[in-house]
Amino acid sequence: MPQLARFLSVAKTRPALASAVRQLRVIIKSSGPAGDVTHYELPALLACCPRLYELDLATTLPSFSGTVLASLQKLPCRPTALRCTNLQVEASEVPYQLTRIWQDSLRFLVLGGEPFHLIRRPPTDTLPPPTGKLKEFRWTSFDRPSDAVLRWFLGSQPGDLRYLALDCLPDEPAFHDLLRIHGPNLRSLRLRDLFGVDADSLAQCTDLEEFSLDRGMDERVLSVLARHKGTTQPSTFTHLEFGVRVKTPESQALETAVQRAIQTGRFPNLKTITLKQWGGTWSLESVLKRWKALLPEIEILDGSTKRTPEQRKKSTSKVRLCGRQLQSYDPTEPKRTSTDAIHLHELSRLDQLPKNTQPSQLPTHE
């Protein structure tokens, strides 16, 4: 495996460079051309990256062998963030396996991509649910997550979860139950839509600071967000993000509803609204100008995908935990040029850096 061998050689002779790797993207296939990393080689690869923060993994394997899992579990390298995407097999249990063995270190977990074929019934007989301390969970697949899957990864009791993002919702009972358990502790909730579920379930999220809804924001949703379990307790929101259309009765009604809610004090702590383009190829610029004129006291940001890196950075999650901004996995970010993020095909860059480079001179994500 030429690329892996090259990296292992560099890591052996210049360990300071290898220990500077903070993000690693690996694709593991069941079979393929020479040069691909096999899952048997993953422990050796991670062993060279003791300060690894995030592992981004795509695989065609249904599972990792017990030998590989045992080797991974013994490593000093225990990622804080795990991203499992593009599971191109009939049914994969790899995310269950890795979440279980790294349960003590994982704080951020992203599952999804297309295709994403996760085993629908968690293998609880062989892999008991983690005792996890996840702070952030993102489901980026358009396949509906089952109640069993969500309970396995997030637990059936309130925990440390503060940031939840779902591109596809479970059915109504599972969604209601999910927010019943974790809603009171959430600081940020990001959803693609509310189709098929009752918006009233959102009332269980009593301490949200940020809410994002790509499609379907309306007066009813705003009303639910503004109340806390039917009380008159003031809203805690500082940031709302939602999709808008242009020149439709729905968009005009939404503008009126938001303006009224703010002017009547239902969102007293709101500082920022991020608008996203919903449907069509029209420009968001005119809508942004109108909203800024309607709400001069609120910062109005552009949340569309066609943004500069500076605009994307400014409109990232406003929520902070323990004095540090929540992790953001933005696929539109430009490719990094430093050694904090390494793809396997880029490993040759390591031996091109100055020999006196130290880990402290390189960026981190802590």
Side-chain angles (χ1 to χ4, degrees):
M1 311 304 173
Q3 294 174 340
L4 180 62
R6 184 181 183 85
F7 175 67
L8 295 179
S9 175
V10 171
K12 183 177 180 179
T13 57
R14 305 174 70 184
L17 291 180
S19 67
V21 176
R22 306 294 281 137
Q23 293 175 290
L24 187 64
R25 164 85 170 159
V26 182
I27 300 175
I28 296 177
K29 299 179 180 179
S30 55
S31 62
D36 283 351
V37 177
T38 70
H39 81 300
Y40 293 106
E41 296 165 319
L42 185 61
L45 177 60
L46 297 188
C48 296
C49 308
R51 297 178 66 245
L52 185 69
Y53 181 85
E54 176 188 339
L55 175 63
D56 187 347
L57 178 71
T59 182
T60 61
L61 292 177
S63 64
F64 284 177
S65 71
T67 302
V68 169
L69 293 174
S71 298
L72 290 174
Q73 199 162 17
K74 294 176 183 177
L75 293 177
C77 166
R78 290 179 173 268
T80 300
L82 174 63
R83 184 183 182 108
C84 289
T85 59
N86 299 96
L87 303 179
Q88 302 181 42
V89 291
E90 184 67 25
S92 175
E93 65 175 16
V94 170
Y96 296 111
Q97 293 176 320
L98 297 183
T99 301
R100 176 64 190 179
I101 66 170
W102 289 329
Q103 61 181 333
D104 293 332
S105 65
L106 282 183
R107 298 295 178 269
F108 308 98
L109 179 61
V110 180
L111 302 177
E114 298 298 332
F116 184 75
H117 301 305
L118 184 70
I119 290 179
R120 307 304 294 173
R121 292 185 178 181
T124 53
D125 293 341
T126 55
L127 292 171
T131 57
K133 300 175 183 177
L134 286 180
K135 293 192 175 193
E136 174 178 347
F137 178 79
R138 296 191 180 201
W139 181 273
T140 63
S141 171
F142 291 141
D143 286 339
R144 172 175 286 189
S146 68
D147 179 56
V149 166
L150 293 174
R151 281 180 175 271
W152 194 94
F153 284 106
L154 302 179
S156 55
Q157 299 294 329
D160 295 337
L161 191 67
R162 297 295 181 269
Y163 185 118
L164 177 63
L166 301 172
D167 280 357
C168 189
L169 299 181
D171 58 31
E172 166 54 30
F175 181 66
H176 182 86
D177 202 43
L178 176 68
L179 296 189
R180 177 187 61 81
I181 297 170
H182 300 286
N185 292 327
L186 290 180
R187 299 293 179 270
S188 175
L189 178 62
R190 305 178 70 85
L191 307 175
R192 187 168 181 265
D193 55 53
L194 286 168
F195 298 157
V197 299
D198 189 347
D200 284 340
S201 295
L202 298 174
Q204 300 175 107
C205 303
T206 56
D207 208 19
L208 283 180
E209 297 175 28
E210 174 184 69
F211 179 72
S212 175
L213 186 65
D214 285 358
R215 300 186 295 177
M217 179 67 87
D218 57 23
E219 186 171 9
R220 185 183 175 214
V221 175
L222 285 171
S223 177
V224 174
L225 295 176
R227 74 175 189 261
H228 281 179
K229 294 184 177 178
T231 72
T232 58
Q233 191 176 351
S235 164
T236 54
F237 287 98
T238 61
H239 180 213
L240 291 177
E241 179 178 69
F242 46 83
V244 292
R245 288 179 168 176
V246 64
K247 296 181 181 179
T248 65
E250 293 80 8
S251 65
Q252 294 170 356
L254 179 58
E255 289 178 12
T256 302
V258 172
Q259 186 178 29
R260 185 186 306 118
I262 292 173
Q263 291 175 346
T264 56
R266 300 176 74 183
F267 293 96
N269 299 308
L270 189 64
K271 300 293 189 294
T272 307
I273 291 177
T274 301
L275 301 179
K276 295 171 125 181
Q277 180 178 322
W278 176 16
T281 57
W282 51 275
S283 171
L284 194 61
E285 186 175 350
S286 61
V287 177
L288 289 169
K289 289 180 179 179
R290 187 166 64 252
W291 278 78
K292 289 177 181 179
L294 285 172
L295 302 168
E297 71 278 21
I298 302 294
E299 183 181 22
I300 307 296
L301 298 179
D302 181 357
S304 63
T305 55
K306 297 179 180 179
R307 295 172 289 163
T308 65
E310 291 76 17
Q311 289 173 323
R312 282 197 298 269
K313 184 176 181 180
K314 190 174 183 182
S315 61
T316 333
S317 171
K318 299 289 178 178
V319 182
R320 291 180 177 271
L321 297 176
C322 304
R324 182 175 65 81
Q325 189 164 335
L326 286 167
Q327 292 300 298
S328 176
Y329 300 93
D330 188 346
T332 62
E333 285 290 341
K335 186 168 68 177
R336 300 178 186 272
T337 57
S338 57
T339 57
D340 67 329
I342 297 293
H343 290 237
L344 206 56
H345 66 274
E346 299 169 319
L347 291 176
S348 59
R349 292 191 288 126
L350 284 175
D351 57 5
Q352 297 170 3
L353 293 173
K355 290 185 179 295
N356 60 353
T357 303
Q358 298 296 321
S360 60
Q361 297 175 278
L362 296 165
T364 69
H365 290 274
E366 292 179 329

